[in-house]
Amino acid sequence: MLEKGPQPQIYVLRCYQRLPLMFILSIAGRPGRITSLQFCFIPLLMVVSLSTCSWRLNPTSLGTTVVAVPGGEGGIEFGDMQYDASLGKVLVPAGGTATLDLIDPDTLEIKGIAVSSTGRQDLPGAHGEGTTSVTAAHGFLYATDRTTLQVHVIDPRLATIVGAAAVTSTPDYVRYVARTNELWVTEKSLEQIEVFKLTSGETPVPVRDGLISVPNGPESLLIDEASGHAYTNEPKVGVTAVIDVATRSIVAQWGNGCSAARGMAMDKERGYLFIACNEGKLVMLDARKDGRHIASENFGGGIDAVGYNPRLAHVYLPSGKSGLLAIFAVTPTPSTPAPGAPISAPETTPSPTVTGRLVRLGTADIAAHARCVTDDDRGNIWVCDPDHGRVFLIKDTFPPDKP
C-alpha cells in the first residue's frame, strides 16, 4: 500500500527577465525623485516582472513516498534493514508482525515470509520482539528472533524457514563474515559477540563456535572483508573496537568523538568509516590510517543508524528527533603543504594526499523516531518509521561525488 508522504513546503522564486524588476528597485531606491507618472507605472511593472518569475519546490528537499508494511499499523520495533543485490530486494525484519518482509524496489510489491515464533510475537506491533535483524549468504537469509532466541535460516525461494540455531542471549545484529564463513551475532546484555560457523552442504546451518568479549558494547556491527576487520562500538567509553576476524580478538580501539555511538556504514573502497552519534552527529574516520579523524557534522538528534551509497558517495543520516533525513556528500579534498614547508624538486614531489569532507546536500521529510536506513543499487534511500509500521522511500537525485 502506497501513499505520498509529507511534501516540502519551501519554495524558490526564480526570475528570468530581470530588467523590469531592476528598474523598479532602482527608482524605489531614489526617494523624492519618483514622478506621478512613474508612480502610476510601478504596479504595472510589478505585474510584468513577476510574470517572468516561476515558483518551484526547494531543490535541496527530496520528496518522500510511504510504503505501508502489512500488519504494522500498531507500530513495529524496527532495528535493522538491509538491501541484498543478489535477490534485488530490500530486507525488512518486521518485528512483532511475525514476518520478514522483502520489498521489490521497482514495483514496491511486498513479499512476507512467516517467521515461526511464539509468545508476544503474535501481537501486531509488539516492540522488542520477533525478527529485528537479517543478513544474506549463499542464497539464504539469516534472521534473528528475539522471542525464541534463535537465528533462523530462511530460503527466500521457498519463503520458508529451513533451519535454526539457538543464541545465548537477546540478539541485536547479525552479520555474515565471508572470510571465515561465519555468522556473528551481537548480544549487548552479555557484552559479547556469538560466533556461528556455517556448515557445508545444500543448506548451510549455523553451528555455535565461540564468543568474542566486547566490554561496554557491542553496539552495531560492520564487516570489512578487504581488511579482514570487523567494527563495533563501545558507547560507554566513546570508542570503536577493531576486531581481527581471523583471530577474533580486539586489535585496536579508536576514539570516535561520540557521546553515544550507534550505527555504522563504510566506504570500503577508500576506507572511510561513518559513525552515527545518538546525540546528533556524524563522524568520519579513516580506517586505513588507524582511525584518524577526518571530519564530523552535527545534525538533528536521536540518531541510531547511518547509510552509505558507494556509487554516489552519499551518506544518509536519519534524525528521529527532528523527523528529517540528511544527505551528505563525501567530497574529496586534496591536502596542501603547510605554509613555509620546503618544496621538493618537481621530479621528486609526491602526489597530494586526498582526504574527504562532509558536505550536506539536502534533506527529506521522514518521521519522529525513525531509526534505521539502507540504500539500494537504484539510487533509492529506505528509512523505517517504527511508530506507524511504515517504510519511507526517497529517491536520491543529487549528483554523485566520487573523485
Side-chain angles (χ1 to χ4, degrees):
M1 180 178 178
L2 306 180
E3 54 182 296
K4 284 294 180 182
Q7 296 300 310
Q9 300 299 317
I10 302 173
Y11 292 83
V12 176
L13 177 65
R14 280 192 167 182
C15 299
Y16 299 95
Q17 296 180 14
R18 300 182 180 179
L19 186 58
L21 187 58
M22 291 173 64
F23 175 72
I24 294 169
L25 295 174
S26 67
I27 61 176
R30 296 181 292 177
R33 300 184 61 182
I34 303 177
T35 66
S36 57
L37 182 60
Q38 288 174 326
F39 185 81
C40 293
F41 273 108
I42 286 178
L44 177 61
L45 290 171
M46 287 290 290
V47 172
V48 173
S49 177
L50 290 176
S51 69
T52 65
C53 301
S54 67
W55 295 88
R56 68 186 182 89
L57 290 174
N58 179 5
T60 65
S61 185
L62 302 180
T64 304
T65 298
V66 177
V67 181
V69 175
E73 295 78 8
I76 296 174
E77 184 65 7
F78 293 111
D80 183 29
M81 285 197 306
Q82 299 288 309
Y83 175 72
D84 182 46
S86 62
L87 290 175
K89 299 290 189 295
V90 181
L91 312 178
V92 183
T97 66
T99 61
L100 170 64
D101 291 322
L102 278 58
I103 303 178
D104 187 310
D106 297 323
T107 65
L108 300 186
E109 178 185 357
I110 299 177
K111 177 183 179 181
I113 300 177
V115 179
S116 299
S117 264
T118 59
R120 285 173 19 193
Q121 164 73 19
D122 301 326
L123 299 176
H127 283 212
E129 299 293 322
T131 298
T132 56
S133 183
V134 64
T135 192
H138 305 298
F140 292 86
L141 302 177
Y142 299 86
T144 61
D145 188 335
R146 293 187 177 188
T147 303
T148 60
L149 298 184
Q150 290 181 313
V151 175
H152 297 300
V153 184
I154 300 168
D155 188 332
R157 296 160 295 183
L158 303 176
T160 187
I161 294 175
V162 294
V167 297
T168 304
S169 181
T170 302
D172 195 18
Y173 282 84
V174 57
R175 293 293 182 261
Y176 175 65
V177 183
R179 277 194 176 211
T180 55
N181 195 34
E182 296 170 345
L183 295 180
W184 286 20
V185 181
T186 63
E187 299 166 355
K188 290 195 291 185
S189 63
L190 297 181
E191 298 187 346
Q192 66 185 23
I193 298 172
E194 196 163 7
V195 179
F196 296 84
K197 281 283 189 183
L198 290 180
T199 61
S200 58
E202 188 174 343
T203 302
V205 177
V207 177
R208 190 174 183 274
D209 194 54
L211 299 171
I212 303 171
S213 176
V214 185
N216 305 299
E219 178 62 59
S220 187
L221 182 63
L222 187 148
I223 310 299
D224 180 15
E225 297 288 354
S227 68
H229 289 149
Y231 306 97
T232 189
N233 292 317
E234 301 176 45
K236 296 177 184 178
V237 291
V239 302
T240 297
V242 183
I243 304 173
D244 186 298
V245 300
T247 64
R248 301 178 184 173
S249 59
I250 295 177
V251 294
Q253 290 178 307
W254 300 333
N256 52 43
C258 295
S259 297
R262 294 290 186 263
M264 293 181 289
M266 192 173 193
D267 181 330
K268 295 182 179 180
E269 180 182 342
R270 293 182 284 184
Y272 295 161
L273 182 64
F274 307 102
I275 302 175
C277 307
N278 186 256
E279 65 269 23
K281 185 165 65 173
L282 171 63
V283 175
M284 181 166 65
L285 304 180
D286 192 337
R288 303 292 184 258
K289 296 184 178 179
D290 298 321
R292 180 176 64 89
H293 181 277
I294 300 175
S296 63
E297 289 291 332
N298 295 324
F299 179 76
I303 296 172
D304 283 333
V306 58
Y308 180 70
N309 185 321
R311 293 161 295 280
L312 300 176
H314 290 174
V315 184
Y316 307 123
L317 196 69
S319 167
K321 191 171 183 179
S322 67
L324 291 172
L325 169 79
I327 300 96
F328 292 90
V330 183
T331 303
T333 305
S335 63
T336 55
I343 301 176
S344 305
E347 61 272 15
T348 60
T349 300
S351 301
T353 301
V354 177
T355 59
R357 62 190 179 97
L358 296 167
V359 177
R360 196 169 88 188
L361 300 174
T363 61
D365 292 328
I366 46 175
H369 309 133
R371 57 179 300 177
C372 48
V373 61
T374 191
D375 67 278
D376 60 30
D377 51 14
R378 292 155 171 80
N380 297 319
I381 313 164
W382 302 83
V383 181
C384 62
D385 176 10
D387 289 354
H388 304 96
R390 309 177 298 180
V391 174
F392 296 114
L393 165 61
I394 300 136
K395 185 71 176 180
D396 185 349
T397 56
F398 294 113
D401 284 272
K402 292 290 284 184

